Amino acid sequence: MAKIIVVTSGKGGVGKTTTSASFATGLAMRGHKTAVIDFDVGLRNLDLIMGVERRVVFDFVNVINGEATLKQALIKDKQFDKLHILAASQTRDKDALTQEGVERVLNELAQDFDYIVCDSPAGIEKGAFMAMYFADEALVVTNPEVSSVRDSDRVLGILSSKARRAERGEDKVKEHLVLTRYNPTRVSKGEMLSVDDVKEILAIPLLGVIPESPSVLTCSNSGVPVIREEGTDAGAGYRDLVGRFLGEDLPHRFITEQKKSLFSKLFGAP
Amino acid sequence: MDWLKFFRGEKKTSAQTAKERLMLAVAYQRSGQANGPSYLPRLREELLGVVRKYIQVPDDAVQFSVQREDGLEVLELNITLPDQ
Ligand SMILES: Nc1ncnc2c1ncn2[C@@H]1O[C@H](COP(=O)(O)OP(=O)(O)O)[C@@H](O)[C@H]1O
Ligand SMILES: [Mg+2]
């Protein structure tokens, strides 16, 4: 039986799609058959971040409406054959995602995938709700910034009261904090909320800290999930995060300022 | 509170200010008043009016919380009476 994981946040632009792409890729790199679905109807994005935009023929809504089979719509990654992508529709019809339709697609996927990753749109409206509703686990993507933290708390409230697991009285959705765009230098200057601050406020376990990193933009330029890029701090952060999700006990990195070497202190090199 | 900083008269950092504001915002959200039915604030005002016909109470004497228990939405209402 597949595990359904929603990547959610409430607030837009915090790194959900970046996280969904790297997390799904990471699970597939580790040998797990993984499907990642873009729930952002009208604003398709995940295909670009994963570099498959030119291979989209059918989308999520086509499958829901019976205009294509799931097999026709799933895009198999060129690098990792365990990784499959289901693109969002660009329709402007807000009601395109029906609960029955989404459930049918998830059930069909669950038959031969290990993990189903749902990239949620921003907000708490229909699309975001559909992405959350069926989840077994949730990655709550948060930036160390007041409005992002408050929105994450709001989403946690919805997950614990409105998700299918809550409605059925099952064990609650397992929540993981993913703190992204973290800048340890600003934290040490007292300009930015720290990991501990955010952990204390949201009171959920920390899965990973992803540093603010220029490599995220350059990777998105070329359509390569940052986790695939060796030698980048954000990529390493995501690889650790996937390892922890799979049960490995890895210490958190990128939380404190990188100590500058004597050489760079003397010569001012980065 | 960092007492050393306090005695030295140092100012709060902006991250500390953010944290304090967030703690309050989140506490309000979790009390259920934020995502409860939209009539809650009016219900609260009217109840306060009724209570005040009989006894003088401060504005925060009437408190709500909305919780989910066994799949049911429960509205909990607390009226704090002043010491006699
Ligand atoms: N760790 C990071 N460092 C720097 N920029 C980032 C990081 N994570 C995300 N971004 C940038 O933030 C923007 C929003 O990211 P995205 O994943 O699309 O957010 P969302 O899906 O939550 O709207 C993008 O421009 C992305 O490149
Ligand atoms: Mg997105």
Side-chain angles (χ1 to χ4, degrees):
Chain A
M1 194 58 192
K3 207 170 248 176
I4 303 176
I5 304 133
V6 62
V7 179
T8 179
S9 70
K11 190 168 155 64
V14 296
K16 288 180 294 296
T17 300
T18 305
T19 300
S20 300
S22 279
F23 180 62
T25 303
L27 291 171
M29 285 162 81
R30 303 285 298 261
H32 301 284
K33 196 164 178 200
T34 306
V36 55
I37 309 178
D38 189 347
F39 274 74
D40 206 341
V41 172
L43 294 170
R44 177 192 286 171
N45 259 332
L46 184 70
D47 57 334
L48 272 178
I49 301 303
M50 307 216 34
V52 299
E53 72 280 5
R54 296 198 339 207
R55 296 169 59 207
V56 179
V57 181
F58 295 112
D59 60 50
F60 193 13
V61 170
N62 289 143
V63 181
I64 287 177
N65 292 345
E67 294 148 358
T69 63
L70 189 54
K71 216 174 150 203
Q72 289 173 309
L74 279 175
I75 303 166
K76 188 164 149 189
D77 189 79
K78 288 231 163 94
Q79 187 107 10
F80 303 104
D81 60 2
K82 301 241 174 203
L83 179 61
H84 291 71
I85 298 123
L86 186 55
S89 161
Q90 289 188 308
T91 174
R92 289 167 59 196
D93 177 9
K94 271 188 173 282
D95 299 318
L97 294 183
T98 60
Q99 184 158 322
E100 304 71 50
V102 174
E103 182 167 20
R104 200 162 18 84
V105 174
L106 291 178
N107 284 343
E108 198 179 334
L109 281 171
Q111 290 177 8
D112 51 33
F113 282 88
D114 301 321
Y115 293 103
I116 303 169
V117 178
C118 304
D119 180 18
S120 171
I124 50 176
E125 302 276 301
K126 184 114 185 230
F129 185 72
M130 282 300 132
M132 261 191 278
Y133 183 71
F134 299 96
D136 300 306
E137 306 201 19
L139 304 193
V140 180
V141 180
T142 308
N143 293 165
E145 176 266 319
V146 284
S147 53
S148 172
V149 176
R150 180 160 79 175
D151 286 359
S152 291
D153 180 73
R154 188 93 172 83
V155 159
L156 286 168
I158 296 170
L159 275 170
S160 65
S161 62
K162 300 278 189 324
R164 179 168 70 174
R165 284 181 162 270
E167 273 186 4
R168 289 181 170 175
E170 296 170 353
D171 287 345
K172 63 181 290 210
V173 177
K174 191 169 174 195
E175 302 151 339
H176 307 271
L177 174 61
V178 177
L179 193 58
T180 62
R181 311 201 68 162
Y182 196 68
N183 185 333
T185 308
R186 300 199 72 181
V187 172
S188 70
K189 287 185 188 151
E191 294 172 1
M192 185 182 264
L193 290 164
S194 71
V195 188
D196 289 333
D197 292 339
V198 180
K199 261 169 58 182
E200 187 184 332
I201 294 162
L202 293 180
I204 59 171
L206 176 69
L207 186 63
V209 178
I210 311 299
E212 169 79 22
S213 163
S215 56
V216 173
L217 178 63
T218 52
C219 280
S220 76
N221 287 342
S222 46
V224 175
V226 68
I227 194 169
R228 276 177 46 188
E229 216 70 330
E230 297 289 334
T232 63
D233 48 0
Y238 279 118
R239 282 191 293 277
D240 282 6
L241 179 152
V242 170
R244 277 184 216 108
F245 184 84
L246 296 173
E248 287 163 22
D249 186 15
L250 302 167
H252 286 285
R253 298 192 272 170
F254 315 110
I255 290 181
T256 50
E257 224 176 332
Q258 296 290 301
K259 286 273 174 291
K260 286 198 173 150
S261 68
L262 184 62
F263 179 85
S264 64
K265 269 189 193 151
L266 286 176
F267 301 102
Chain B
M1 157 138 273
D2 187 339
W3 288 103
L4 244 138
K5 278 193 176 160
F6 180 80
F7 286 121
R8 282 202 219 113
E10 280 174 40
K11 269 205 349 228
K12 264 193 296 217
T13 66
S14 88
Q16 282 170 318
T17 309
K19 185 177 177 186
E20 283 166 20
R21 291 176 58 223
L22 266 171
M23 297 287 241
L24 288 176
V26 160
Y28 169 75
Q29 224 159 241
R30 289 185 189 157
S31 72
Q33 294 178 61
N35 48 349
S38 60
Y39 58 73
L40 275 189
R42 257 188 46 218
L43 178 59
R44 189 178 165 283
E45 284 309 301
E46 280 180 38
L47 273 170
L48 201 55
V50 173
V51 174
R52 280 182 175 153
K53 279 191 186 165
Y54 301 92
I55 185 164
Q56 259 320 306
V57 291
D59 278 356
D60 60 0
V62 176
Q63 297 285 355
F64 284 115
S65 78
V66 182
Q67 257 135 27
R68 253 193 118 80
E69 280 166 28
D70 308 322
L72 283 179
E73 212 133 61
V74 179
L75 175 65
E76 199 181 278
L77 173 66
N78 274 302
I79 305 176
T80 317
L81 298 179
D83 293 337
Q84 292 300 312

